[in-house]
Amino acid sequence: MGAAANRSGIVTLLSDFGLRDSYVGQMKGVILGLFPAAQIVDLTHEVAPQDVAEGAFQLATAWRSFPAGTVHVAVVDPGVGTARRAIAFLHEGHYFVLPDNGLASFVLEARVPERAVLLERRAARLAHVSSTFHGRDVFSPAGAQLARGIALEDLGSTIDPMSLIRLSVPIVASENGVVRGPIVSIDHFGSCRTFIRPDDLPAPADRVVVRCGRAVIRGIVRTYADVSEGHTLALFGSYGGLEIAVRAGSAAKAWELERGMTVEVTGPDESK
């Protein structure tokens, strides 16, 4: 337990369980039973059911808001009860506990974690493990044990950090002065979010042209207030990625945009 000084005592939870049922409450009960001093923070439980890509985005945009030593338990797990691996890993001072199904893809991007283990030992699970609720029976106890200071390797055997499953979603590609990236998430306001960063732009932000579907936006602004209500805009969101939005409206509805559609950024269109 000497490693406890390296832990923040915080456990974050992310899932697709919603709040209508008691699933989230049961996870918290397990964590508190093993580590009563845990500070539990809900990132979200409103990920669409079994939507691993959306869960991966939500986790990636939130984890850096917490201090080093935080444990992030994420459960979007359509393969629960199958041969998919239950894992934990250490990355940039944070611990992640989740199914190995691509949920860590956007946290890691092109990097690999420092250490990773398979959650197979008694310390990493309850005495009885159901085949349908590993969020309660595996991931919650493993997260609690890490938060209270247990060594990562005490939870299970070491696995190759390079072996973690990655989603096949392309993040950002650049070719011949054209930058492309998919819409990876659409938020509550209908803003369409990508991982295109300021350093990816092929020209100054106020001169680029952003296109997606029927939407064409000239220039990237700094705030929503830089355009009139009802107007479409492009800006960099709080997580650092390019978004297409409508001030006081929904870009997804206005332009019939969907996740997976390609956002294209080019230099200035001199013909317009």
Side-chain angles (χ1 to χ4, degrees):
M1 296 299 294
N6 299 324
R7 314 298 160 86
S8 68
I10 300 170
V11 180
T12 75
L13 296 180
L14 177 149
S15 78
D16 58 350
F17 294 152
L19 296 175
R20 175 178 176 177
D21 300 297
S22 69
Y23 302 132
V24 174
Q26 293 180 57
M27 291 176 65
K28 292 180 179 180
V30 168
I31 292 168
L32 293 171
L34 291 169
F35 183 37
Q39 299 179 64
I40 302 175
V41 178
D42 297 298
L43 296 182
T44 181
H45 298 291
E46 298 301 328
V47 173
Q50 304 181 357
D51 193 338
V52 175
E54 177 67 19
F57 177 87
Q58 297 292 346
L59 183 61
T61 56
W63 70 277
R64 290 186 185 276
S65 296
F66 293 85
T70 294
V71 177
H72 305 280
V73 177
V75 188
V76 182
D77 194 16
V80 61
T82 70
R84 71 93 184 90
R85 299 185 299 185
I87 63 169
F89 64 83
L90 174 65
H91 178 62
E92 296 189 7
H94 291 243
Y95 293 86
F96 295 83
V97 182
L98 37 68
D100 183 25
N101 60 6
L103 196 52
S105 296
F106 300 149
V107 167
L108 296 171
E109 295 183 342
R111 297 158 295 180
V112 295
E114 290 95 289
R115 305 199 308 276
V117 301
L118 188 66
L119 300 177
E120 59 185 356
R121 296 187 181 149
R122 290 180 61 183
R125 48 186 60 210
L126 298 183
H128 173 73
V129 176
S130 73
S131 61
T132 61
F133 196 3
H134 287 186
R136 178 194 64 195
D137 300 340
V138 178
F139 300 118
S140 290
Q145 298 285 23
L146 283 172
R148 65 193 289 263
I150 194 171
L152 188 67
E153 289 74 15
D154 288 341
L155 298 179
S157 57
T158 300
I159 58 176
D160 181 1
M162 290 285 291
S163 70
L164 271 60
I165 299 295
R166 306 296 183 105
L167 296 174
S168 59
V169 177
I171 302 299
V172 178
S174 179
E175 184 178 6
N176 298 324
V178 179
V179 176
R180 296 182 178 89
I183 295 173
V184 293
S185 177
I186 298 175
D187 72 7
H188 174 72
F189 300 99
S191 299
C192 301
R193 305 184 285 187
T194 78
F195 279 119
I196 298 172
R197 310 285 187 177
D199 289 346
D200 297 319
L201 298 183
D206 61 345
R207 300 189 65 212
V208 298
V209 180
V210 180
R211 295 180 174 87
C212 186
R214 297 182 294 108
V216 179
I217 307 153
R218 290 177 173 79
I220 297 172
V221 299
R222 192 177 64 87
T223 72
Y224 298 99
D226 288 337
V227 303
S228 303
E229 288 193 6
H231 280 64
T232 303
L233 63 135
L235 83 172
F236 288 103
S238 60
Y239 66 97
L242 184 67
E243 300 184 7
I244 295 175
V246 170
R247 183 181 175 190
S250 166
K253 290 181 179 179
W255 296 101
E256 299 180 328
L257 303 180
E258 299 178 354
R259 205 180 67 197
M261 294 178 68
T262 298
V263 174
E264 181 179 279
V265 184
T266 62
D269 186 347
E270 302 296 349
S271 67
K272 299 296 183 182

